[in-house]
Structure formats: structure tokens, C-alpha cells
Amino acid sequence: MPHLRSLPHDAVLLDVFKRYPDTALPLLEYHQALMRGDSPLTVAQRELIAALVSSLNGCGYCHGVHAATARVFGVADGVLEALVHDVDTAPVNDRLRPLLRFVRKLTMTPARVTRSTIRSACVRCSTS
């Protein structure tokens, strides 16, 4: 449910873009750079992370889009659901696990993220 009075109660992201076109383009360009630009993470990994965050945030629209896109790029059925349940037992590459733990903590309890949390995620996570 949007909290913008100018949108209907059942609005989706496209409705926001239509209502605020001047801000839509920069957001779409940022999304393109983040999700498809140069990165040590594959597109599948980035989409999996976006789907995980969207699921944890309870955003059904974004979760659906990113989960479907992750599957298109090779993420197996059930992986996302396993990550939502438990990062430590989910069937993902062990090198990605510290980053996924960090993403989960940052999403669920951002005030508990410390420099040590960030260092741990960055040092242990190598996607090569």
C-alpha cells in the first residue's frame, strides 16, 4: 500500500514512475548500473540478493520481479526460499554466504551493523 496520497491504494512501481516521471529515469538508470553494470557479482547473484532483500522487506512486487529474473539467470527453484529461511543451510556458494548474511543483517537490523560486520562480509566474500 503506497503512502503517497496522489496514488491509488493498489498502486505499483509503474504507477509511481508515471506519476513522477522526472524522478523515474534517474532511478531506472541507477538500477541498470547496479544490476547490470560491471561487478564482481554475477547478474544471477545480484538478482538473488535483490529478491532476498525484497522478501525480507515484505515487498511482494519487487520480490516477484527479482525472483523471476534470478531464475531466468540460472538461480535454481527453492534457493531463495532456503535463503529466507536460513542463509547458513541454503544451497549457495560458500563464498557468497558472508555477503548474504551481511545483506540479511543490514535489512533486518541495520542498527546492529558495525564496521566489523562490514569487514567480515568483504574479506570473506570473493565471488571468483
Side-chain angles (χ1 to χ4, degrees):
M1 169 193 234
H3 297 284
L4 301 172
R5 294 177 196 254
S6 60
L7 295 174
H9 76 282
D10 60 346
V12 295
L13 190 57
L14 184 58
D15 296 313
V16 176
F17 288 169
K18 287 178 181 177
R19 177 67 179 98
Y20 303 98
D22 293 342
T23 58
L25 185 58
L27 181 59
L28 290 171
E29 288 172 345
Y30 175 71
H31 177 270
Q32 184 67 20
L34 183 66
M35 299 304 287
R36 300 295 182 269
D38 290 339
S39 173
L41 299 172
T42 67
V43 171
Q45 290 168 331
R46 287 180 270 179
E47 290 291 346
L48 180 63
I49 291 168
L52 174 61
V53 169
S54 298
S55 179
L56 296 173
N57 282 336
C59 181
Y61 176 82
C62 293
H63 168 77
V65 169
H66 290 296
T69 307
R71 283 191 299 276
V72 167
F73 281 95
V75 174
D77 287 339
V79 172
L80 178 57
E81 293 76 12
L83 277 175
V84 170
H85 178 69
D86 184 4
V87 170
D88 292 322
T89 60
V92 296
N93 183 311
D94 283 336
R95 290 183 168 197
L96 190 58
R97 211 173 298 283
L99 179 59
L100 293 167
R101 281 189 209 106
F102 171 72
V103 165
R104 183 180 185 87
K105 186 171 188 172
L106 182 62
T107 303
M108 301 302 293
T109 55
R112 292 186 179 163
V113 172
T114 64
R115 287 180 192 237
S116 175
T117 307
I118 295 167
R119 276 194 301 274
S120 178
C122 293
V123 170
R124 291 189 207 156
C125 181
S126 171
T127 58
S128 50

